[in-house]
Amino acid sequence: IELELVGLATTHMEGDLADPQIQALLSAAMLGDLEPGSRLLAVELLRHQTSSSATRQALTEALLSDENPGVRIAAAAALSGLGADDSVRRALQQALVEDDNAGVRVAAIEGLRNISHDDTRDVMERVSRFEPNPYIRAEARHALDVGRAIPTHL
């Protein structure tokens, strides 16, 4: 990867996505760049390095706080399937229940679809009953119904 950060001074850096410095720069761009396109690109690159807890934390922050719904949707997709991490699971649940954008809520359902945990099942059941958007209610029901896709965590 070749990065060029332009600000008061221009910084040029080359490296691999596995490089913690590159991940830190991408995380900083994802959380601090003024351009949504740059933030979205950073999310798309970081989705390949979700084994890093710092990267998961930055993606979680983008999911819950980025002003652009496209960035939040991409962050939810990047976090999809990482529900074994409690903070990721809680962030996806929070996005499902609280985000104003229907696309983000659908992406959160996708991210939670196969997570085996009691609180995820509870959130899906609440959404399947009380969500105002009929499509999202149906998706939550579908996530629950697919072989009881979210088995109870023992």
Side-chain angles (χ1 to χ4, degrees):
I1 287 202
E2 190 173 324
L3 296 175
E4 185 171 286
L5 302 174
V6 179
L8 294 175
T10 300
T11 303
H12 182 85
M13 187 171 208
E14 292 183 37
D16 186 283
L17 269 177
D19 182 341
Q21 267 191 311
I22 295 290
Q23 291 175 23
L25 284 172
L26 287 170
S27 292
M30 178 178 59
L31 297 174
D33 200 287
L34 295 176
E35 293 296 321
S38 298
R39 296 192 312 271
L40 186 58
L41 178 59
V43 170
E44 291 299 329
L45 290 170
L46 286 171
R47 78 179 303 151
H48 303 290
Q49 287 299 322
T50 56
S51 61
S52 157
S53 63
T55 297
R56 287 193 308 274
Q57 181 179 354
L59 287 165
T60 296
E61 188 174 332
L63 169 63
L64 296 177
S65 64
D66 197 282
E67 64 187 32
N68 185 288
V71 173
R72 295 193 311 272
I73 290 168
L79 293 167
S80 183
L82 299 174
D85 181 318
D86 288 343
S87 63
V88 168
R89 187 183 73 252
R90 285 190 302 270
L92 287 165
Q93 291 169 352
Q94 182 178 342
L96 174 56
V97 173
E98 296 177 6
D99 201 287
D100 292 336
N101 185 279
V104 174
R105 295 195 310 276
V106 170
I109 288 173
E110 289 303 316
L112 291 167
R113 189 174 295 277
N114 295 312
I115 293 176
S116 174
H117 203 282
D118 285 341
D119 60 3
T120 298
R121 173 172 277 294
D122 293 344
V123 168
M124 287 290 194
E125 286 176 353
R126 262 193 341 257
V127 169
S128 73
R129 283 191 223 126
F130 303 115
E131 163 66 42
N133 183 307
Y135 179 78
I136 296 172
R137 274 194 320 268
E139 283 298 303
R141 268 193 304 276
H142 181 70
L144 287 166
D145 290 343
V146 175
R148 287 292 170 187
I150 306 170
T152 302
H153 183 273
L154 300 176

